[in-house]
Amino acid sequence: MSSPIFSLLQLDRDDKQPVYLQLANQLMGFIRTGPLHAGQRLPSSREMAEKLQLHRKTVVRAYDELLAQGWLESHTGSGTFVARHLPKTELQTLTANAEATFNPLRTAGFSFTVPEHLNRPVMKAYSQLHLDDGFPDARLAPLDELTRNYRSQLLNGNPYVRLGYGDTTGASRLRQELSEYLNETRGLNTTAENILIVRGTIMGFFLVATGLVSKGDHVVSASMSWAGAAANFRQAGAQLHTVPVDEYGMDTDALERICQQKKVRMVYVTPHHHYPTTVVLRADRRLQLLRLSEKYGFIIFEDDYDYDFHYLSKPLAPLASADKAGMVMYGGSFTKAISPAFRVGYLVGSENVINYLAKLRRIVDRQGDLMLENAFAALLQSGVIHRHLRKSLRLYRERRDIFCELLRSELGNDVHFQVPVGGLAVWTGFDPRINLKTLAEKALQQGLYFYDGHTFDGPGVKLNHTRLGFASSNPSELEQAVGILRKIISQS
């Protein structure tokens, strides 16, 4: 072995990786890049140890590692050689800068295209204050009860069963408890066989879009809608159409006009509190939507993301509760009820569809977190979630009222909004002279996060609206947040 190669070996005795592995990996690198070539004889372990000032056993372990992996071969009486079956490599210049400028850890060697619909901002608010998209206050979550239930799932019962593989449809106990819960609170008529447990609504939506929508299918949503839905439809290759939204929700007459011209496969709707505007789909339009579904044969995906938080009266029953034709897929989760960190959601539909989607789910996620699912089942069975929701509803109503009053008194004519009848955010419009992107950037510099709302704008239309979430902040935090907005706006 020539001395330049010795000079390139850099062994760090303080590194966490054992020295023999460092040596083995660097020799392997030399074989790959060319300084060492197929059939070349290596120094004896004694010579290598003396040259590198290592214990001979260290070199022997490095050689044994490379022999086991097939990089080297040993011939009794002749020594150790680079394996002859390896392809020849072109010798590279031995310099301290032997590494190429190309970094495979950052850039793949093959080409691929990232579809534009996947380029969506990921909301990660780490600031002390936040007027988010409408998240719950995780400080209210029943974590003590959840912790006890999770621990119980880990320790009690048959370990082979509880720690092994389970049903791809989800923990049977949670499906049963959830069926009873949805039947009681939402007027559904389900059994456990009608429910598929998923890791949040977004996973359920992916399964529905992938499994029930084909390339070229026509899909309809509101003109302003959740970007995640549109992204899933586009990923499935669907042709996406939109209909207007007014103070009564989705325009179902406009929907029928599309149905008269196109064979619509699916309609995505958030009828209880339309996202992002929070308006409720009026009763007559609900009935018409179900009628149109039967008449034109399209699937309704009902995303009921915050059913539990309705402040003026009893929440309207979901479309799924009045579905007599099996046309509605109903999705929800515990994200808004408990916390986004706990990825437990559900799809509700006809048994044959649920069985099909469970098979589809299996190829991307064998099963969910059975421990967590059974822990949530215990929360439902014991009534903890019911009590938590009653408490949260009262607190969130108070926070909504406080926040709306702060917007009126502190920001005055700079904003306009309707007090939402439900949900965890206020759909807020700002005076056209206020640049929301600039406002959001300046607010973040002062420790307040809110979304600038640019994805709610349509082609050639700048709404200058955004969702300001109030539920995750207590009254003091809401006052501080609005105070920051007032200060920035007044200085503009």
Side-chain angles (χ1 to χ4, degrees):
M1 179 181 284
S2 60
S3 56
I5 295 180
F6 276 110
S7 66
L8 287 175
L9 286 168
Q10 297 179 357
L11 305 177
D12 184 358
R13 289 170 174 78
D14 295 325
D15 195 280
K16 291 182 179 179
Q17 188 179 58
V19 173
Y20 84 92
L21 278 181
Q22 294 181 48
L23 177 58
N25 288 338
Q26 290 184 43
L27 290 175
M28 189 190 309
F30 292 156
I31 296 172
R32 284 195 182 112
T33 57
L36 292 175
H37 55 78
Q40 182 173 344
R41 186 179 184 280
L42 297 183
S44 69
S45 58
R46 187 185 306 278
E47 181 183 352
M48 178 75 82
E50 292 176 354
K51 197 75 174 180
L52 298 177
Q53 296 184 338
L54 297 175
H55 195 286
R56 185 184 174 191
K57 288 185 178 180
T58 300
V59 177
V60 170
R61 289 191 67 185
Y63 279 10
D64 286 346
E65 183 73 21
L66 295 176
L67 285 165
Q69 293 186 32
W71 293 98
L72 302 181
E73 55 189 38
S74 179
H75 302 285
T76 304
S78 299
T80 303
F81 299 81
V82 177
R84 290 179 172 80
H85 62 78
L86 294 174
K88 291 185 178 180
T89 55
E90 294 184 4
L91 186 63
Q92 297 184 3
T93 304
L94 300 178
T95 66
N97 297 319
E99 288 189 2
T101 56
F102 173 74
N103 183 352
L105 295 178
R106 295 182 60 86
T107 307
F110 53 87
S111 62
F112 60 95
T113 301
V114 179
E116 184 57 35
H117 62 260
L118 297 183
N119 293 322
R120 298 168 51 217
V122 177
M123 297 183 184
K124 297 185 292 184
Y126 299 118
S127 55
Q128 181 179 0
L129 300 172
H130 34 78
L131 299 174
D132 49 48
D133 190 54
F135 300 154
D137 190 341
R139 294 170 294 191
L140 305 178
L143 298 183
D144 290 341
E145 295 89 342
L146 181 59
T147 300
R148 284 196 295 272
N149 289 335
Y150 197 97
R151 177 179 173 82
S152 176
Q153 294 302 316
L154 288 172
L155 299 179
N156 300 325
N158 184 333
Y160 184 80
V161 174
R162 74 173 189 271
L163 299 177
Y165 286 114
D167 197 319
T168 54
T169 56
S172 59
R173 182 182 178 190
L174 177 57
R175 291 165 58 224
Q176 183 60 50
E177 291 294 336
L178 192 53
S179 173
E180 296 176 9
Y181 174 75
L182 294 175
N183 293 347
E184 175 187 346
T185 61
R186 289 154 171 77
L188 302 188
N189 184 27
T190 67
T191 69
E193 303 306 313
N194 298 117
I195 296 175
L196 172 63
I197 305 300
V198 290
R199 295 182 188 267
T201 303
I202 186 66
M203 180 180 181
F205 198 92
F206 175 80
L207 294 176
V208 168
T210 302
L212 301 180
V213 176
S214 300
K215 185 176 182 179
D217 280 351
H218 297 280
V219 174
V220 180
S221 67
S223 56
M224 284 186 295
S225 193
W226 178 47
N232 272 284
F233 286 138
R234 292 193 174 98
Q235 186 68 19
Q239 299 184 51
L240 186 58
H241 307 273
T242 60
V243 295
V245 175
D246 57 24
E247 66 268 32
Y248 306 116
M250 174 185 281
D251 185 341
T252 47
D253 289 334
L255 171 61
E256 183 163 22
R257 288 193 291 273
I258 293 177
C259 291
Q260 290 169 348
Q261 301 173 16
K262 310 284 186 182
K263 176 59 178 176
V264 174
R265 175 59 173 169
M266 183 177 291
V267 172
Y268 170 73
V269 62
T270 51
H272 200 230
H273 303 125
H274 171 255
Y275 184 94
T277 67
T278 76
V279 299
V280 177
L281 185 63
R282 198 169 60 184
D284 61 315
R285 294 190 179 183
R286 290 169 176 257
L287 294 174
Q288 186 180 11
L289 181 57
L290 288 169
R291 180 184 65 80
L292 293 176
S293 176
E294 294 185 40
K295 180 179 179 180
Y296 294 102
F298 59 75
I299 305 164
I300 298 173
F301 186 94
E302 181 177 14
D303 180 359
D304 212 355
Y305 65 98
D306 60 0
Y307 176 89
D308 298 293
F309 303 111
H310 199 77
Y311 306 120
L312 294 185
S313 59
K314 184 178 179 180
L316 293 174
L319 295 169
S321 68
D323 175 30
K324 306 304 180 184
M327 302 303 291
V328 178
M329 293 297 302
Y330 181 78
S333 75
F334 290 100
T335 294
K336 298 294 190 291
I338 307 295
S339 168
F342 301 114
R343 308 308 299 165
V344 179
Y346 48 87
L347 281 176
V348 180
S350 304
E351 288 184 25
N352 63 335
V353 178
I354 293 300
N355 290 335
Y356 163 53
L357 295 181
K359 293 176 181 178
L360 180 61
R361 180 252 176 87
R362 185 178 180 183
I363 67 175
V364 294
D365 186 24
R366 170 61 176 78
Q367 65 189 50
D369 183 341
L370 294 180
M371 301 293 102
L372 185 61
E373 291 176 14
N374 282 318
F376 267 82
L379 292 181
L380 285 169
Q381 185 179 40
S382 63
V384 168
I385 286 184
H386 297 69
R387 294 190 293 274
H388 168 70
L389 288 174
R390 285 197 297 269
K391 175 184 176 182
S392 299
L393 180 64
R394 175 179 56 80
L395 286 174
Y396 293 160
R397 182 192 293 116
E398 292 174 357
R399 293 179 183 184
R400 178 205 63 173
D401 294 343
I402 290 171
F403 183 58
C404 288
E405 180 55 36
L406 284 168
L407 290 178
R408 287 195 192 96
S409 62
E410 300 299 315
L411 300 185
N413 295 329
D414 291 323
V415 298
H416 56 277
F417 61 92
Q418 294 290 330
V419 178
V421 297
L424 306 180
V426 178
W427 177 241
T428 309
F430 285 74
D431 187 280
R433 68 179 176 80
I434 298 172
N435 185 308
L436 272 182
K437 184 176 185 295
T438 301
L439 181 61
E441 291 172 351
K442 291 182 177 180
L444 191 59
Q445 292 171 3
Q446 298 189 34
L448 167 64
Y449 166 82
F450 77 92
Y451 178 53
D452 64 24
H454 73 274
T455 56
F456 301 131
D457 297 337
V461 178
K462 183 169 179 58
L463 295 173
N464 220 39
H465 275 65
T466 192
R467 284 168 59 88
L468 299 179
F470 55 82
S472 60
S473 303
N474 61 37
S476 174
E477 291 164 341
L478 291 172
E479 186 174 351
Q480 294 177 63
V482 175
I484 290 173
L485 293 180
R486 181 193 64 218
K487 179 181 177 181
I488 297 172
I489 291 173
S490 65
Q491 292 175 346
S492 301

